[in-house]
């Protein structure tokens, strides 16, 4: 093989792999039930984004309440179901996961996990407080150790035994018990 053919073959292969990589990255960017909840967002959607920025990052339409309220919710139009974004002052401030057992945190925590499982996933970083409305239930609040994330939390709500829903976001919104009420 002469050097021009080798170079052309190598260039074609590099271009093909680059396109495949970009396609894979774009495919992963779309919000799905496999997207992971972090302390400050889910998938590519981050706390602090506008709804328009979040829609682009989610790769799906976000629908919900009227944008003229000081606090309201939007959610993906189709999938994932039971995933909600709280919007305050025009920006995403919190992510709520309700009745969706497929979405997990980065550490793998999900609805249905026991309180003991949550405590073992986040050793020494869970603050337990009584649930305001569920008799015997708790709020298990993950408090990060690193200074950069001190204004963020993950809150797991339980029935006293298992996680029933969870949320992440910034203070104070992540700790609002009545959501926007």
């Amino acid at each position: 093989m002469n050097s021009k053919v080798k170079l052309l073959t190598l260039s074609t292969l590099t271009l093909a792999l680059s396109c495949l990589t970009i396609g894979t990255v774009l495919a992963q960017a779309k919000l799905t039930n496999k997207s992971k909840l972090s302390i400050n967002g889910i998938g590519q959607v981050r706390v602090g984004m506008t709804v328009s920025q979040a829609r682009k990052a989610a790769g799906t339409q976000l629908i919900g309440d009227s944008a003229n309220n000081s606090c309201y919710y939007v959610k993906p139009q189709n999938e994932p179901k039971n995933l909600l974004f709280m919007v305050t002052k025009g920006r995403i401030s919190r992510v709520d996961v309700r009745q969706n057992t497929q979405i997990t945190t980065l550490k793998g925590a999900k609805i249905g996990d026991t309180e003991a499982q949550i405590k073992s996933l986040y050793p020494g970083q869970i603050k337990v407080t009584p649930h305001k409305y569920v008799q015997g239930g708790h709020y298990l609040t993950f408090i990060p150790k690193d200074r950069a994330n001190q204004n963020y939390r993950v809150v797991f709500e339980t029935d006293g035994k298992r996680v029933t829903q969870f949320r992440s976001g910034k203070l104070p919104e992540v700790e609002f018990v009545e959501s926007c009420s």
Side-chain angles (χ1 to χ4, degrees):
M1 228 187 236
N2 70 32
S3 61
K4 284 184 180 180
V5 172
K6 283 182 182 174
L7 183 61
L8 184 59
T9 303
L10 185 61
S11 299
T12 304
L13 185 60
T14 303
L15 181 61
L17 284 173
S18 298
C19 290
L20 184 63
T21 304
I22 290 167
T24 303
V25 169
L26 290 174
Q28 290 172 343
K30 187 169 171 56
L31 210 52
T32 69
N33 284 318
K34 296 201 182 320
S35 299
K36 302 294 182 199
L37 184 90
S38 66
I39 198 160
N40 65 347
I42 185 167
Q44 302 298 314
V45 179
R46 293 284 166 259
V47 167
M49 286 181 165
T50 64
V51 175
S52 177
Q53 290 169 329
R55 183 182 65 246
K56 286 178 190 154
T60 186
Q61 199 58 253
L62 299 176
I63 58 170
D65 301 331
S66 171
N68 61 9
N69 298 332
S70 60
C71 179
Y72 64 98
Y73 275 92
V74 294
K75 63 184 180 180
Q77 186 169 17
N78 298 312
E79 296 289 328
K81 298 280 186 218
N82 301 303
L83 177 70
L84 303 159
F85 297 98
M86 179 186 278
V87 181
T88 53
K89 297 179 184 164
R91 298 194 175 268
I92 304 294
S93 55
R94 144 178 162 175
V95 182
D96 290 48
V97 179
R98 301 178 186 159
Q99 302 167 339
N100 185 324
T101 56
Q102 292 180 289
I103 294 176
T104 70
T105 66
L106 291 172
K107 295 235 181 202
K110 64 187 181 309
I111 291 174
D113 283 355
T114 64
E115 289 190 0
Q117 284 173 300
I118 299 301
K119 291 173 187 171
S120 73
L121 287 171
Y122 304 95
Q125 292 182 276
I126 295 291
K127 176 181 157 194
V128 181
T129 53
H131 199 290
K132 187 171 179 181
Y133 297 110
V134 178
Q135 185 75 26
H138 299 109
Y139 299 108
L140 305 182
T141 304
F142 167 71
I143 301 172
K145 289 180 181 169
D146 62 337
R147 202 176 287 279
N149 290 325
Q150 283 301 298
N151 290 325
Y152 297 95
R153 301 285 186 271
V154 179
V155 179
F156 300 92
E157 292 191 32
T158 77
D159 59 8
K161 293 182 174 74
R162 295 189 176 275
V163 174
T164 57
Q165 59 185 353
F166 60 102
R167 61 186 178 267
S168 72
K170 69 181 190 75
L171 293 170
E173 292 92 334
V174 72
E175 291 187 334
F176 290 174
V177 175
E178 283 102 6
S179 303
C180 285
S181 302

